Amino acid sequence: MFKPSLLLAASLLVLAPVAQAQTMSQPAPQVAAAPVAPLVVEQARVEAHQAFLAGDALRGRGSATPDEAVAAAYVAARFQEYGLTPAPGMTGFLQTAGVVQRPPSQPGRRPRYDVVAPEGAERITTNAIGWLQGSDPSAGVIMISAHLDHLGVRDGVIMHGANDDASGVTAVLELARTLAGGEQPKRSILFVAYGSEELGLLGSLWFARNPPVPISSIVANLEIEMIGDQDPNMPAGIMMMTGFERSNFGPSLKERGALIAPDIYPDEHFFERSDNYQLALQGVVAHTISGWATIPSYHSADDTNENIDFPFMTQAIQSLVEPIRWLATSDFKPDWVEGGKPEPRQPR
């Protein structure tokens, strides 16, 4: 007879392969995929960006000044932090141009400004440009933009420009952070902060003349300007889009949750007065969204962070995240309606 210990050992040796086979034949337990984290715009980040961009240290971010250049460097640093890369053909995140003054077009009118190559220019303006690579290089590019500059210091008073247009730049930054933190989009996305808008849309003019990607590849441009407060004449929580009726871009974004509606001030011609217009003249479906375009603090010393409605601003930016992500992952291409596309200006 076997001793009990030897019998037990033998039994285990016989049964072990059977147990192993049974274990191997059983399917591995299914592990649920981790849910995609929501792309959340954070009010604390919104306030932090505003505190820097519209703080005393930047002295109102005057057009084509070192203060504007510091603001551009800040935006570029955030782009890099969020995982964006320089745009194709660029070695960094900054695009510079020289600013020159031209004689008035007619006697009695103010001098005009133009942009030229930066080499040797006395005044330099700076665009900050970041690139989020899409999975399909042939699918086109979405562009989100705002302008960096404001009025600088006038008569010893800092014109902070918290709403005009630090708020738009903050929106670009938060959209860059949230969209870069999600799944890779099909289309690439350009995030742009222009310089020298206040001198006559100069940063966007230089961009349009020297785009890092072909203008024809830009599917749509959404410019964000002055979203720091709510227009009391608009429905609660809603921003207006300039030229809303000119294309199917706005209605498509609104259908997917963007808190936007048509421009209620068509006689002000806001569509032609912001940086979107430089791209629209090149054929790109380009519009600007704004919170309160006729706000009393416009171009005044009262345009400060103390007068920003941060909950409204944060909610406004948040409402753009999913519609932009949809646009960047879909095959939908915005188009002008008949008669909506602006005609290029005739040279004078």
Side-chain angles (χ1 to χ4, degrees), residues 202-270:
L202 296 187
S204 54
L205 175 60
W206 184 252
F207 178 95
R209 290 177 180 172
N210 302 273
V213 298
I215 288 289
S216 60
S217 72
I218 300 177
V219 172
N221 168 220
L222 185 66
E223 174 84 4
I224 306 173
E225 181 153 7
M226 296 173 59
I227 62 164
D229 206 352
Q230 164 81 68
D231 189 330
N233 294 319
M234 295 286 289
I238 303 298
M239 301 174 286
M240 72 175 204
M241 174 181 269
T242 65
F244 189 91
E245 72 290 343
R246 288 174 172 263
S247 78
N248 59 4
F249 186 23
S252 298
L253 294 181
K254 181 179 179 180
E255 183 180 337
R256 285 158 182 85
L259 298 175
I260 58 175
D263 179 1
I264 59 174
Y265 304 105
D267 293 342
E268 295 288 345
H269 300 284
F270 286 128

Side-chain angles (χ1 to χ4, degrees), residues 57-119:
L58 289 194
R59 295 167 47 83
R61 309 180 311 282
S63 306
T65 65
D67 302 312
E68 179 198 83
V70 171
Y74 174 82
V75 172
R78 299 289 76 76
F79 283 164
Q80 186 171 12
E81 175 189 352
Y82 302 153
L84 305 188
T85 62
M90 294 182 64
T91 57
F93 294 91
L94 300 178
Q95 180 189 54
T96 58
V99 174
V100 295
Q101 185 172 302
R102 304 294 192 196
S105 58
Q106 296 180 9
R109 291 194 173 184
R110 293 182 300 175
R112 297 174 298 141
Y113 293 92
D114 197 4
V115 276
V116 297
E119 292 76 19

Side-chain angles (χ1 to χ4, degrees), residues 296-325:
S297 62
Y298 175 70
H299 281 194
S300 81
D302 292 328
D303 186 1
T304 64
N305 280 325
E306 288 72 23
N307 293 318
I308 294 293
D309 183 342
F310 284 106
F312 166 78
M313 182 175 166
T314 302
Q315 181 185 39
I317 302 169
Q318 182 68 65
S319 81
L320 300 174
V321 175
E322 288 303 325
I324 292 173
R325 184 165 70 165

Side-chain angles (χ1 to χ4, degrees), residues 273-287:
R273 290 169 54 184
S274 194
D275 287 306
N276 68 286
Y277 196 56
Q278 299 288 13
L279 278 293
L281 288 174
Q282 303 292 321
V284 177
V285 177
H287 298 261

